Amino acid sequence: MTEELYEKLIRHEEKLSVIGLGYVGMPIAVAFARKIDVIGFDLNEQKVELYRSGKDPTNEVGDEVIQNTEVQFTADESRLREAKFHIVAVPTPVNDDHTPDLSPVEGAGRILGRNLTKGSVVVFESTVYPGVTEEVCVPVLEQESGLKCGVDFKIGYSPERINPGDKVHRLETIKKIVSGMDEETLDVVAKVYELVVDAGVHRAESIQVAEAAKVIENSQRDINIAFMNELSIIFNRMGIDTKAVLEAAGTKWNFLNFQPGLVGGHCIGVDPYYLTYRAEMLGYHSQIILSGRRINDDMGKYVAENCVKKLIAADKNVRNAKVAVLGFTFKENCPDTRNTKVTDIVNELREYGIEPVIADPQADTGEAERLYGITFADAGSIRGMDAVILAVAHREFTDYNMEDMDRLYGEGTKVLLDVKGLLDRREYETAGYSYWRL
C-alpha cells in the first residue's frame, strides 16, 4: 500500500529514483541521499560519468558534495526497477513557435514506464500547463508499463522552485508545493518531501492547482520585468536614467523592486507560454501575458540597436566594429547557457556586420559550442575594442574598476553598454565614456 512506502523508504527497504540530473534533479537526488537510498538516472552517460568522478558540472552543490554523496548515479534505465518512489525532473522547453515542447517529459515517461513496478508513486517536477500530468504523462506511463494508474501506481506533482546559481534560496529553504491524485498519495508525497525541505510543504488541493501555481509564479515575474523593460525604453527616449527613477520610486514602501533586463533561462522566459498555450486551447487569447513576453523577447535586439547607435554617435564604423560581449549565460554566476538572451544581442550585431568577441569565465564552453557554435575568448586578452557590452553580472565582472575597463578599448571614444547597471554612470561619463544602460 502507498502509505507503507514512506516507512519502507525510511528503513532503506525501498529506494527513490530521480530521473534527470540537471540543475534541478541533481540537487534533489543529493538532498534525499542524505536520508534514504537514491538512484540518480540520466540518459547522458558523459554527465553521469562526471558525477561518478566527483565533478559537479552545474556548480549547484560543488565537487566536494558530489564526491561524498551516496547517490547511485547511473545511465542504465533498468536500475529504475529497484525504486518505488520516482521523481521526474526533466526540462520542459518551448519550440521555436513558442508552443510547449513536451518531448523531454514524454521521453522520461516512456523510460520510466518501461521500468515501472506495481506499488510505485511517480511525482513530476517539470513545469507544465495544468492538465499535462494527468492527460499526457499518465497515458504514457500506462502504455509503456501495462499498469493502471490509481490501481497499480499513483501519481503526484510537485513543481521545482530551485533558482540556479542561488546559494540562499535552495531546495531545503523554499516551501515546496506538493499534490497527489488522492489523499493517500498526497500524504506520502508530502511526508517524503518533508524529509529534505526544512521550509515545509504546502499541500495543494489537486494536481492541476499545483501545476497552475508553478506557471503563474514565473508569469507574474515575467510581466513585472516586462513593465520595467518598457519603462526603460520610454525613459531612454526621454533622456532620463531608468535606474535613478527606480531608486527614487523604490523609496515608497509598496513599490515592487523589479529591474529591467534580459529574461532568459528555463522558467521565466518559458513558463508563460505554457499557460497561454493552454488558455488558447480553451478559446482564450492572452493579452497581458503575451504582451509582456513580446517586450522581453525583443530586449536583446534593443540592446544591440543601442550599441550601433552609440557607435555611430562616436564616429566609429559600424561594419566590422570591434565589440566585446562580457557574459553569455542566462544569469549571473551560473554556467548554463541554454535559452540565454545574450545570443539575441550577438545575432543582432551580426546583422550589422559586427562579429563580437565573447568572454564568459563561468559558462559551460562545450554547451555553448554545441548549441550556438560560439567559442569564448579569455576576458584578460581582450584589447582594442570600440564598444563593450557588459551583459551578465558574473562576480568576475562586478569586480571590474575603470582601469580594468580602460584596458579593453582601443583609440577614440569608449562605448560602454552596462546592461545590468553595475557601474557608476557619472564616474564613467566624467571619464569620457559613451555610457548606456537599461
Side-chain angles (χ1 to χ4, degrees), residues 24-155:
V24 173
M26 186 273 296
I28 293 169
V30 167
F32 273 114
R34 296 188 182 109
K35 303 290 177 76
I36 57 180
D37 295 339
V38 176
I39 294 166
F41 171 80
D42 199 285
L43 272 176
N44 187 332
E45 292 186 23
Q46 191 179 4
K47 186 192 294 179
V48 169
E49 280 308 312
L50 276 175
Y51 287 137
R52 280 179 174 161
S53 66
K55 296 278 195 302
D56 175 12
T58 70
N59 289 344
E60 282 299 298
V61 299
D63 293 352
E64 189 179 344
V65 172
I66 294 295
Q67 287 158 19
N68 293 298
T69 185
E70 297 293 323
V71 177
Q72 301 167 44
F73 295 112
T74 184
D76 176 7
E77 66 175 69
S78 67
R79 291 287 312 278
L80 297 173
R81 294 172 195 169
E82 299 171 27
K84 274 286 193 287
F85 193 102
H86 304 277
I87 296 173
V88 179
V90 295
T92 36
V94 290
N95 297 306
D96 291 340
D97 63 356
H98 297 146
T99 56
D101 176 9
L102 294 174
S103 58
V105 77
E106 289 176 357
R110 279 191 288 274
I111 290 168
L112 178 56
R114 290 196 292 268
N115 299 284
L116 197 61
T117 58
K118 280 190 177 184
S120 292
V121 172
V122 180
V123 179
F124 289 88
E125 287 222 359
S126 307
T127 303
V128 292
Y129 58 78
V132 167
T133 303
E134 290 151 302
E135 296 166 18
V136 177
C137 300
V138 167
V140 170
L141 289 171
E142 287 183 332
Q143 183 182 357
E144 294 293 333
S145 66
L147 302 176
K148 186 73 180 161
C149 184
V151 178
D152 301 314
F153 69 93
K154 299 289 186 77
I155 55 150

Side-chain angles (χ1 to χ4, degrees), residues 338-378:
R338 292 172 301 169
N339 203 27
T340 175
K341 290 299 174 185
V342 181
T343 189
D344 294 345
I345 299 175
V346 173
N347 290 337
E348 189 66 17
L349 288 174
R350 286 171 175 164
E351 292 286 321
Y352 288 95
I354 299 169
E355 186 56 51
V357 176
I358 306 165
D360 194 313
Q362 297 257 356
D364 183 327
T365 54
E367 186 178 78
E369 172 74 42
R370 187 175 68 254
L371 295 180
Y372 308 101
I374 282 173
T375 304
F376 296 122
D378 176 8

Side-chain angles (χ1 to χ4, degrees), residues 250-265:
T251 58
K252 192 180 181 201
W253 77 92
N254 62 352
F255 185 81
L256 301 178
N257 183 27
F258 286 92
Q259 302 291 323
L262 304 175
V263 186

Side-chain angles (χ1 to χ4, degrees), residues 275-404:
L275 186 56
T276 57
Y277 176 80
R278 182 61 162 176
E280 285 177 11
M281 287 169 70
L282 299 169
Y284 180 79
H285 184 73
S286 161
Q287 297 173 67
I288 292 175
I289 300 170
L290 285 179
S291 294
R293 276 284 77 229
R294 278 192 293 274
I295 291 169
N296 287 342
D297 277 345
D298 284 344
M299 291 311 286
K301 184 174 182 231
Y302 176 69
V303 171
E305 286 171 352
N306 277 279
C307 179
V308 169
K309 288 176 184 176
K310 286 287 186 184
L311 286 168
I312 293 168
D315 285 330
K316 291 178 182 279
N317 288 328
V318 172
R319 180 173 289 280
N320 298 320
K322 292 186 173 181
V323 177
V325 177
L326 303 183
F328 189 75
T329 59
F330 87 88
K331 68 178 294 187
E332 65 275 6
N333 304 321
C334 171
D336 199 350
T337 66
R338 292 172 301 169
N339 203 27
T340 175
K341 290 299 174 185
V342 181
T343 189
D344 294 345
I345 299 175
V346 173
N347 290 337
E348 189 66 17
L349 288 174
R350 286 171 175 164
E351 292 286 321
Y352 288 95
I354 299 169
E355 186 56 51
V357 176
I358 306 165
D360 194 313
Q362 297 257 356
D364 183 327
T365 54
E367 186 178 78
E369 172 74 42
R370 187 175 68 254
L371 295 180
Y372 308 101
I374 282 173
T375 304
F376 296 122
D378 176 8
S381 69
I382 295 174
R383 297 286 185 275
M385 293 295 118
D386 297 310
V388 173
I389 301 174
L390 189 47
V392 184
H394 288 318
R395 61 181 70 91
E396 290 89 346
F397 301 141
T398 56
D399 291 340
Y400 273 27
N401 56 30
M402 193 175 290
E403 192 179 330
D404 296 319

Side-chain angles (χ1 to χ4, degrees), residues 401-403 423-433 435:
N401 56 30
M402 193 175 290
E403 192 179 330
L423 306 171
D424 184 323
R425 178 183 198 128
R426 192 166 294 175
E427 182 187 352
Y428 279 82
E429 287 182 339
T430 302
Y433 276 71
Y435 180 96

